[in-house]
Amino acid sequence: MISIARFTVEGLKENCVTDNPHPMFAFYYESEDQSIIDHAIFTLSNGYKKELKDEVSLIYDGPKFDAYTRYEATLAAVDNKGNETSKTIYFETGKLSSSWEGKWITDGSYEFTDKGISPRIMTFRKKVMMEKEIKEAKIYATAIGVYRIDLNGAKVGNAFLKPGFTSYANNLMYQVYDVKEQLKNGQNDLVVNVGGGWAVGAFVFTRVNRVYAARQALLLELRVKYTDGSEEVIPSDTSFDVSLEGPYVAGDLYDGECFDARVDYDKISYHKASLETMKLQPKIMADYSSDIVVNREMPHYEVKEINGKWRYDFKQNLAGVVHLHIKKAKAGQKIIVHHAEVLLKDGELNLDLLRTAKCTLEYICKDGEQDYTPEFTYMGFRYITIEGIAPEHVDVVAYHLTSDIEETGAFKCSNEMLNQLDSNIRWSSRNNFEDIPTDCPQRDERMGWTGDISIFAPTASYNFQMDRFLRKWLVDVKSEQLKSGSLPNTVPIHGYGFPATMPKMAIDFWGDAILTVPYALYEAYGDLDILKSFYPNMKKYVKAEKFWANIWGVGKYRYIWHTPALFHFGDWVSPDVDQMSAWQKRSKYTATASLRRCSQLLAHIASILGEKEDQAYYEKLSEKVKDAYVSVFTSDGKLKKEEFQTGYVLPLAFDMFEGQDKENALKNLVALIEKNDYCIGTGFPGTPYILFVLADNGYEDVAYKMLLNTKAPSWLYNVSVGGTTIWEKFDGMLADGTCRPSKDGTGNMVSFDHYASGSVGEFLYTRIAGLRIVEPGYKKFAIKPVLGGDITSVETSTLTPYGRINLSWKKEEGQFKLHVDVPMSTTCQVTLPNGEEQVLTYGCHDIACAL
Ligand code: BGC
């Protein structure tokens, strides 16, 4: 029997509201008896119809949708045995191009001029009368700031930090909430608290505030349909009241929150909200993000009294907030909660690593039993301390907050330390998918650093259904690309002007995200559309790279990109030189390698898109850069000036050496690694590639020795000292669990939740398990494990656009035994350890060979 196993619109199985005139539908089939799809018909309730064969996605290209309308999408399919199946999903259009009846409102009396902090929280309120029987009721809302809506005393929706983080000057999302169940006949109490969030609050380590507006503003419509056929819109306007005396006394993404539970919305003083003149004119679209929600509730495992405070340990570094269920308290009783990732030697929380972020909650109790969940902040922590209430009077859990992205991949092998490494990679992923891909969730950053996701996107796409989340971020990447072609180091740039003096300068490896992230989506999901859409942006970026490379040199030096090191990150956080300036000094190597990689990748993308002339142009450019790197920096495969791991890894990874030079370069790299006791010596640029370069070129043993090394700095050193997430620095923690003092000139730049070095995940899945993409979206894939270390078995799986690939292998009784489930419409090329090759098609396969 054939069935439709998954059917999504815009990446969602349900509750999709969209303003996209061309939404994307994705689906795949499964069949119990391995029948295959013969043909299918996709229909929409507006009459749109499309005949399909074995496609697994479709971009709607039919007539314009109507606003505020529910559509039904049906896929009906027939297999080659004549069996039929069908599935229907629903989605709704948002406002499309219809204008807002709601007006932007604010507290006109609030002059917020303080620097470095977030504004007071505005509380908007309106009593709404419902006199007729309600058929449908929806709130459409957005804000400059972040908001929480309460209707009749209960939170509307389950998402946090809406409207989400976008490049507000360009793009702003609104949300749609079905409130039919919450709205009642008679008088309703609508309360909206709006905090500063990213748009108005203090953000970025410089703590700039008011980046997008001088104060918060709210835009809302409550749209009601009655059973008698009439309709009503209650818009945000001057009939709303506003107050600065609500229970949220303070709220800031970095600093935390102060909530006074004694405050009664009926007893504070209000004045009339005023209309706000908006300086920004962003495109306001129905939410296309993945909501930040409570992914799981985490219990604590240990409570200890430390210097008059109660210290709780969740035994897992996570991003989110705590939830307090206070069993008994007196009005005015103050509870203070601090958060940290690691402890100091005396058992106190290490708060220094948070830098200026206070990460503190202050909760002022009312009488009796009560619950508290912070709303306008989140933290990265494993430990908290609580003051002001003893453990017997409060139940404490942590809410793990993360963008709602389905976890679609799994990995488990016979080496428990590698399994923990994989778990750490997953945790750091979820902890940093907070509406945008961030660098870390704890200190005063949490920014959309482009370099981090650029190297992590392939690993992320193996484990998670990343397309909706990354596509949303890419909207801002496109909006924020500079005219010069360069990309800000953080997207949204958000008042962070770096490089301040040279805003037009392209930055190697970080800017590369404009190519690498769309390409990762193309590879993992077969998303040709994203490649097409980003192609002009990619060309502009490579042009900018070339411009900056060309500007200060003649001859071959025109392809050596050596703009002043200060403006690049170079071999960022490489543990072999413990100085930021030394990482940056290596930028001529990393930047030149970046130009090679980007021009080479762009040539490949041009070939996919059939842009023959471009392809030839970028191939030529990448050849010139290759020649420059090799002849300027190396001689006979040896680095002339400074030998360092990344200096060899990048030209090897990007195919720059030939013949004997390549052999020599590999030997030189291996010699460096051996001298370094198989410890890692690469920064962000080299880390994703080092194991591949070794394992794919005959040095599998060296790759495994590095990967399985537990001496610092290494991936498994982290695991050996109890790490539960990936760290910014491989040796950031001492064996006693405290932080290694940082002397590298970055101040306290030591995060224990940074996914970038977790890019090694790609090696676990594609080399240890051996699952490799051959054609985009796994239409064709290969299984070719690289055996080594002490690994005797692996089980892994990932969800492809065609269905789930389950793969496991084990070494048993002198045999190598492999099991794979090949999805419908895909083919799999297996290369067994004895060199034997097989091509497999749809179905479950078990094969074996002698070891
Ligand atoms: C961030 C990084 C980022 C880097 C750029 C750091 O402060 O945490 O992950 O990519 O700066 O140099």
Side-chain angles (χ1 to χ4, degrees), residues 106 114 148 406 489 530 535 645 723 730 744 772:
T106 187
D114 298 318
R148 169 187 165 130
E406 195 179 338
N489 293 323
I530 200 88
Y535 186 59
Q645 292 183 9
F730 285 104
D744 53 23
R772 311 172 186 204

Side-chain angles (χ1 to χ4, degrees), residues 495-545:
Y496 175 55
F498 189 86
T501 43
M502 288 274 209
K504 293 193 172 81
M505 188 177 284
I507 306 292
D508 66 292
F509 274 90
W510 271 251
D512 299 9
I514 205 160
L515 283 95
T516 53
V517 176
Y519 189 73
L521 291 181
Y522 168 71
E523 281 245 283
Y525 308 113
D527 190 347
L528 189 62
D529 183 55
I530 200 88
L531 275 196
K532 282 189 195 152
S533 139
F534 268 81
Y535 186 59
N537 303 78
M538 295 171 175
K539 282 173 64 171
K540 265 170 77 179
Y541 175 69
V542 173
K543 193 172 168 195
E545 285 196 294

Side-chain angles (χ1 to χ4, degrees), residues 522 528 531-532 535 602-616:
Y522 168 71
L528 189 62
L531 275 196
K532 282 189 195 152
Y535 186 59
L602 193 49
H604 174 57
I605 293 170
S607 82
I608 295 167
L609 300 179
E611 301 284 350
K612 291 239 160 57
E613 257 176 53
D614 284 1
Q615 182 188 346

Side-chain angles (χ1 to χ4, degrees), residues 269-320:
S269 69
Y270 294 91
H271 45 277
K272 291 270 159 250
S274 34
L275 299 184
E276 182 68 316
T277 322
M278 297 295 288
K279 286 210 190 94
L280 301 176
Q281 293 301 324
K283 197 168 166 189
I284 307 183
M285 297 274 285
D287 199 319
Y288 46 92
S289 74
S290 313
D291 294 345
I292 298 178
V293 291
V294 179
N295 178 53
R296 65 182 102 177
E297 282 185 27
M298 311 274 300
H300 60 80
Y301 291 94
E302 193 186 89
V303 189
K304 255 194 178 165
E305 199 181 344
I306 304 274
N307 302 330
K309 293 169 269 203
W310 297 98
R311 194 191 72 200
Y312 292 70
D313 181 358
F314 293 94
K315 301 249 169 173
Q316 173 62 54
N317 203 18
L318 66 115

Side-chain angles (χ1 to χ4, degrees), residues 221-398:
E221 283 172 9
L222 169 58
R223 306 183 75 90
V224 189
K225 285 186 185 162
Y226 299 104
T227 48
D228 66 3
S230 61
E231 295 185 11
E232 190 181 3
V233 180
I234 293 130
S236 52
D237 58 17
T238 50
S239 70
F240 276 60
D241 290 328
V242 67
S243 172
L244 295 177
E245 295 170 14
Y248 291 97
V249 178
D252 178 278
L253 288 158
Y254 295 152
D255 287 345
E257 196 170 279
C258 175
F259 188 89
D260 189 343
R262 296 167 304 178
V263 174
D264 181 340
Y265 284 114
D266 285 332
K267 295 196 179 133
I268 56 177
S269 69
Y270 294 91
H271 45 277
K272 291 270 159 250
S274 34
L275 299 184
E276 182 68 316
T277 322
M278 297 295 288
K279 286 210 190 94
L280 301 176
Q281 293 301 324
K283 197 168 166 189
I284 307 183
M285 297 274 285
D287 199 319
Y288 46 92
S289 74
S290 313
D291 294 345
I292 298 178
V293 291
V294 179
N295 178 53
R296 65 182 102 177
E297 282 185 27
M298 311 274 300
H300 60 80
Y301 291 94
E302 193 186 89
V303 189
K304 255 194 178 165
E305 199 181 344
I306 304 274
N307 302 330
K309 293 169 269 203
W310 297 98
R311 194 191 72 200
Y312 292 70
D313 181 358
F314 293 94
K315 301 249 169 173
Q316 173 62 54
N317 203 18
L318 66 115
V321 290
V322 290
H323 170 82
L324 307 181
H325 172 69
I326 297 157
K327 296 182 223 166
K328 199 173 104 192
K330 285 211 174 89
Q333 184 176 338
K334 195 193 261 186
I335 298 172
I336 297 178
V337 188
H338 288 285
H339 305 69
E341 292 188 301
V342 286
L343 301 178
L344 296 168
K345 288 210 186 313
D346 62 3
E348 288 275 4
L349 306 192
N350 185 333
L351 302 175
D352 288 348
L353 302 179
L354 305 173
R355 303 198 308 212
T356 68
K358 295 196 179 78
C359 300
T360 303
L361 304 173
E362 253 186 60
Y363 179 80
I364 303 159
C365 302
K366 57 187 178 189
D367 268 327
E369 197 177 346
Q370 52 211 289
D371 283 277
Y372 172 55
T373 310
E375 193 66 36
F376 293 99
T377 188
Y378 74 95
M379 332 276 184
F381 61 100
R382 168 177 165 166
Y383 303 95
I384 58 166
T385 56
I386 299 191
E387 292 160 71
I389 191 161
E392 58 270 29
H393 298 309
V394 60
D395 293 333
V396 181
V397 290

